[in-house]
Amino acid sequence: MEKALKEKLEKIVELVNNAMVDPDIDIEYCIPEVATTSDSCDVSGDPYLSVSYSEDKYVKRKIRLTPKYLEQTPEEITNLVTFSIEQFKEEIDGVQLGG
């Protein structure tokens, strides 16, 4: 992995950790050479974050950091990731409350 990309990914991990202080959401990082916090990472494809709802570990969403995503700044990527996590949480809340 090239140094600039590694530094960008490290910054994204740091920013996401600071932005997502939600006790209901668990984030696992599957970013080889940067942050791999899951035992079950699939490192054959793009790096990604795996988001799960703490009340139901089986409800997960992968947020892939595709090469197109990675053309943006760490701050822009973090905004996209946190927005995606918020959408995920709203969907889960809607299912739990409405279902």
Side-chain angles (χ1 to χ4, degrees):
M1 180 182 297
E2 63 183 69
K3 187 174 185 232
L5 176 60
K6 185 174 180 181
E7 288 174 357
K8 180 182 272 192
L9 289 167
E10 287 171 346
K11 184 71 174 168
I12 293 165
V13 169
E14 178 187 331
L15 290 170
V16 170
N17 278 337
N18 290 339
M20 290 307 303
V21 195
D22 188 326
D24 294 334
I25 299 292
D26 294 326
I27 302 174
E28 294 180 332
Y29 296 96
C30 291
I31 307 173
E33 297 180 48
V34 176
T36 306
T37 57
S38 172
D39 296 335
S40 58
C41 282
D42 170 14
V43 295
S44 61
D46 296 320
Y48 65 91
L49 290 76
S50 179
V51 183
S52 61
Y53 200 62
S54 59
E55 291 183 22
D56 187 347
K57 296 285 186 199
Y58 298 105
V59 180
K60 289 190 172 198
R61 172 172 291 169
K62 280 185 184 177
I63 302 170
R64 294 193 181 280
L65 302 175
T66 63
K68 187 166 175 56
Y69 251 166
L70 294 173
E71 292 171 6
Q72 301 180 47
T73 68
E75 291 75 15
E76 289 170 325
I77 296 166
T78 299
N79 287 339
L80 290 168
V81 166
T82 53
F83 179 73
S84 184
I85 292 170
E86 290 300 327
Q87 279 189 316
F88 170 72
K89 189 173 178 210
E90 286 175 17
E91 288 171 22
I92 300 305
D93 287 344
V95 168
Q96 287 186 337
L97 298 174

